[in-house]
């Protein structure tokens, strides 16, 4: 669910929020450099906003998840709660402006969903380990290819994760064409379902 939602968020961000991604920091960093070089200042500024907000979201999720793991009062799925709150805030905002935000509003929405993706990636990394990425695939695919060549072993989870991200992006793109006002609902609903599932499985409070 998280990987599918990440694909959907990235597609929607690219199509509707200015032409940059929400969790592909490598691409956004390069686009920031493009802007600094003077080729496209608008894209560079938007990419820089996305990177900054992604970092802030990742920091918040890492703090929440780290506190939960150290036996604090916070729930282990707190990073998902933070992410879904950010996504639902954007859904409400998008519906309030009837899917036609101003330039400043569009930039603020981009920053909010980028922060949500930072929450997801950092929270999953701290809670489950670096081997379970949900929204960045470069390292995952590189490892899978290297493993296939050197050990003659196919890493099926890596292939499934890649396929889910692509399918999530495809679903959001199709939804954007058919029901553009409903597109941000897709990732928000998926992350909410993931949070409910995790919350139910781990209980209401972390073990000390």
């Amino acid at each position: 669910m998280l990987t599918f939602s990440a694909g959907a968020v990235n597609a929607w961000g690219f199509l509707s929020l200015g032409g940059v991604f929400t969790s592909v920091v490598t691409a956004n960093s390069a686009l920031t450099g493009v802007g600094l070089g003077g080729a496209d200042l608008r894209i560079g500024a938007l990419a820089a906003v996305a990177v900054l907000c992604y970092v802030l979201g990742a920091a918040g999720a890492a703090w929440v998840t780290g506190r939960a793991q150290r036996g604090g009062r916070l729930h282990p799925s707190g990073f998902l709660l933070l992410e879904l709150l950010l996504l639902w805030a954007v859904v409400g905002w998008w519906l309030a402006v009837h899917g036609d935000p101003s330039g400043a509003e569009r930039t603020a929405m981009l920053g909010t969903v980028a922060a949500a993706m930072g929450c997801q990636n950092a929270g999953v990394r701290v809670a489950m380990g670096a081997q379970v990425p949900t929204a960045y695939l470069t390292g995952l695919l590189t490892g899978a290819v290297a493993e296939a060549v050197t050990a003659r072993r196919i890493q099926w989870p890596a292939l499934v994760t890649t396929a889910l991200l692509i399918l999530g992006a495809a679903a959001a793109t199709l939804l954007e064409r058919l029901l553009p006002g409903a597109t941000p609902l897709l990732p928000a609903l998926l992350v909410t379902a993931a949070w409910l599932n995790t919350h139910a499985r781990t209980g209401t409070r972390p073990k000390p």
Side-chain angles (χ1 to χ4, degrees), residues 16-162:
S16 301
L17 300 180
V20 300
F21 296 103
T22 56
S23 69
V24 188
V25 175
T26 303
N28 285 341
S29 297
L31 290 174
T32 301
V34 168
L36 290 174
D40 194 327
L41 293 177
R42 184 190 68 85
I43 286 292
L46 286 174
V49 168
V51 171
L52 174 61
C53 291
Y54 179 95
V55 170
L56 293 175
W63 182 83
V64 168
T65 310
R67 285 289 300 272
Q69 287 187 333
R70 290 191 295 271
R73 297 177 61 84
L74 298 173
H75 194 274
S77 62
F79 75 93
L80 287 176
L81 178 61
L82 181 58
E83 180 186 2
L84 70 87
L85 289 175
L86 291 171
L87 291 176
W88 279 112
V90 171
V91 168
W93 196 351
W94 183 260
L95 295 177
V97 298
H98 307 289
D100 187 25
S102 66
E105 288 174 324
R106 201 176 298 270
T107 301
M109 289 181 187
L110 173 68
T112 304
V113 292
M117 289 293 95
C119 285
Q120 178 176 308
N121 284 337
V124 168
R125 183 183 181 92
V126 175
M128 304 180 205
Q131 301 304 314
V132 194
T134 59
Y136 52 97
L137 302 179
T138 303
L140 186 69
L141 282 178
T142 302
V145 171
E147 186 79 4
V149 172
T150 59
R152 303 292 192 273
R153 185 165 54 242
I154 298 177
Q155 291 188 356
W156 292 108
L159 299 181
V160 171
T161 298
T162 302

